[in-house]
Amino acid sequence: MRIFFILPRVPYPTEKGDKLRAFHQIRELAARHEIILCALNDGDLHQNAIPVLKKYAKAVHVIPISRISILFSLIRTLFSRKPLQVGYFYHRSAASRIKALIREYQPDHIFCQLIRVAEYARDLNIPKTLDYQDVFSKGMERRLATSPFYLKPFLRLEYQRLLRYEHDIFEAFDNKIIISAPDRDLIPHPDRARIQVVANGVDTGFFRPVDQPRNVDLVFTGNMGYPPNIRSAEFLVNDILPEVLKKRPGIRLLIAGANPHLRVMSLRSAQVEVSGWVADIRESYARARIFIAPMQIGTGLQNKLLEAMAMRLPCITSPLAFQALNAREGEEILVAGTPAEYAAHILYLLDNPQKADEIAGKGYDFVHRNFSWARETEKIEKLMMESVR
């Protein structure tokens, strides 16, 4: 089967969740199918991106979208009913190029990652799959609740448009997939039960325990330019850490990940290290005794939790992130809501290394049992094969 992937970003390097998901899905499907990859690109292209992706795709087409093109597209979108998230990635010149490539390659199936690129395939009479991945409308609603007053009218409008678009685009695709059952239940469509849950996996050959000295107590990782991660980092430093410092004045926190926002950089102190981009994120996990992901907004399954658990770190997270994970609370992971609850979990794990090791071991077993890229991608393959037949 020839599969034509349409992606909003080039899936390498895999420092963002959507890129990581697409990369592994392409790698798994390429073992049995022919992949044509078409990705939009609004930034600098990594020098190794195309060589790496060509290991799995027969053809790799990167369509650059310029800042001026994005600006004009956003202005046009303001006067439509579409979300700005869709307008940012939809360009008429890109649409012409994609249609020409589809005519050239005559794919058996089209795969669109995220509603951001759904417009490119919406009206094509070819079997196609949409990966909702996350529920953007719910993520926007959560941001709306914590945003400053001057942004609320803009975010409210985007929220309403996302609700409508996530509903309307549903019928345009033969298959729909999403990252977790709780996210599926938030899709604003009466037939959302038809959406197939396809979780992420974790590369347990890459993310594995490392025996080395731990020189920080806590670590939080992710793309630190992403609003949910920015908000979590601020909550961690401004609300949770002061509670821990009352009992452990010498505690140290590492915040690691690409593109740290100025708000994240401003959190640096004697107790808080902000590393920025790390060539091998495993080094950041390996430095810490505890992984903490106090997610306050956003949706979807947190890859960072899977990676930390695969590296045999005891993990603490929020109810928001926990619901997509479906682990056993108190055994495979700890869950907290308030700063005092987070602080109590942190102090408990630091004061009880044997218990911390027990939770880490059970979390390690949990991800090995439940999160396989191969098994999850087989679900996509089955949907595609059935729709092609």
Side-chain angles (χ1 to χ4, degrees):
M1 181 168 56
R2 180 176 291 169
I3 307 169
F4 192 97
F5 269 76
I6 306 176
L7 307 181
R9 294 190 179 103
V10 178
Y12 187 88
T14 56
E15 82 284 6
K16 296 181 179 179
D18 58 328
K19 297 168 72 172
L20 177 75
R21 183 169 168 91
F23 178 84
H24 284 284
Q25 289 170 346
I26 288 169
R27 188 179 70 171
E28 293 296 333
L29 288 167
R32 294 173 295 280
H33 305 282
E34 184 178 289
I35 306 298
I36 309 299
L37 173 57
C38 182
L40 305 176
N41 184 45
D42 62 353
D44 296 330
L45 184 65
H46 192 281
Q47 61 180 356
N48 295 330
I50 292 179
V52 169
L53 294 169
K54 279 189 172 180
K55 294 177 182 178
Y56 310 107
K58 177 183 179 181
V60 177
H61 298 274
V62 176
I63 301 178
I65 50 176
S66 67
R67 295 298 177 186
I68 190 68
S69 174
I70 291 169
L71 177 61
F72 282 123
S73 183
L74 288 174
I75 291 171
R76 282 195 302 270
T77 306
L78 277 173
F79 298 97
S80 73
R81 291 165 56 87
K82 294 184 177 66
L84 291 178
Q85 294 224 26
V86 173
Y88 184 100
F89 289 95
Y90 185 79
H91 301 265
R92 291 169 182 170
S93 58
S96 297
R97 177 87 184 278
I98 289 170
K99 286 181 179 178
L101 289 171
I102 289 171
R103 286 194 299 270
E104 176 184 349
Y105 287 105
Q106 295 290 305
D108 301 299
H109 201 97
I110 295 174
F111 183 97
C112 291
Q113 186 194 52
L114 301 172
I115 62 170
R116 291 169 174 166
V117 296
E119 285 297 301
Y120 290 112
R122 184 173 195 162
D123 298 323
L124 296 177
N125 189 26
I126 298 172
K128 49 189 180 288
T129 296
L130 171 64
D131 184 1
Y132 276 104
Q133 185 171 322
D134 295 334
V135 188
F136 285 169
S137 60
K138 192 62 180 181
M140 189 58 63
E141 183 184 26
R142 289 171 178 151
R143 286 184 63 185
L144 182 59
T146 59
S147 296
F149 72 93
Y150 55 86
L151 286 178
K152 287 185 183 294
F154 163 77
L155 295 177
R156 188 173 292 109
L157 176 62
E158 181 71 353
Y159 165 64
Q160 292 167 349
R161 290 185 174 193
L162 284 166
L163 270 178
R164 183 168 54 242
Y165 193 83
E166 286 171 339
H167 173 278
D168 293 348
I169 203 65
F170 185 97
E171 299 297 344
F173 285 78
D174 303 86
N175 311 312
K176 281 76 60 173
I177 66 173
I178 202 162
I179 205 165
S180 74
D183 285 281
R184 178 184 61 190
D185 295 342
L186 295 172
I187 289 290
H189 194 282
D191 293 330
R192 54 184 168 268
R194 289 164 47 195
I195 303 173
Q196 172 78 52
V197 173
V198 177
N200 278 1
V202 62
D203 187 346
T204 53
F206 184 78
F207 291 101
R208 60 184 188 273
V210 175
D211 185 16
Q212 70 172 53
R214 312 282 177 171
N215 59 10
V216 295
D217 299 291
L218 304 170
V219 63
F220 174 54
T221 64
N223 173 17
M224 290 303 157
Y226 180 49
N229 287 336
I230 297 170
R231 176 74 185 92
S232 297
E234 291 176 328
F235 179 63
L236 175 53
V237 173
N238 297 331
D239 298 278
I240 298 171
L241 210 57
E243 294 289 325
V244 182
L245 287 169
K246 293 175 185 177
K247 299 286 183 66
R248 280 192 175 244
I251 197 163
R252 294 194 62 208
L253 163 67
L254 169 63
I255 299 174
N259 310 312
H261 192 276
L262 286 176
R263 285 163 53 190
V264 176
M265 295 299 291
S266 70
L267 300 173
R268 290 180 295 181
S269 69
Q271 286 80 34
V272 181
E273 176 187 347
V274 179
S275 70
W277 165 258
V278 179
D280 189 341
I281 197 64
R282 292 176 300 179
E283 296 175 5
S284 299
Y285 290 120
R287 291 178 56 189
R289 295 178 177 86
I290 299 168
F291 180 80
I292 183 165
M295 310 307 295
Q296 302 298 294
I297 57 175
T299 57
L301 181 64
Q302 297 296 317
N303 296 306
K304 55 177 71 73
L305 281 171
L306 303 183
E307 293 167 358
M309 294 168 90
M311 292 197 68
R312 219 173 185 276
L313 279 175
C315 297
I316 308 171
T317 195
S318 67
L320 180 63
F322 172 73
Q323 65 180 352
L325 190 63
N326 202 29
R328 290 179 295 173
E329 181 180 355
E331 295 186 39
E332 295 161 338
I333 194 169
L334 298 181
V335 182
T338 66
E341 289 171 349
Y342 277 105
H345 283 329
I346 292 167
L347 293 169
Y348 176 74
L349 292 175
L350 292 176
D351 292 339
N352 297 275
Q354 185 173 350
K355 186 62 178 178
D357 187 63
E358 180 183 326
I359 292 172
K362 289 181 177 179
Y364 172 86
D365 292 339
F366 169 73
V367 295
H368 276 255
R369 287 195 313 271
N370 294 286
F371 295 94
S372 160
W373 286 115
R375 285 197 305 268
E376 294 302 316
T377 307
E378 281 177 6
K379 298 177 185 177
I380 304 174
E381 183 179 31
K382 182 179 178 182
L383 288 172
M384 289 179 172
M385 296 293 287
E386 288 175 350
S387 60
V388 167
R389 284 198 293 266

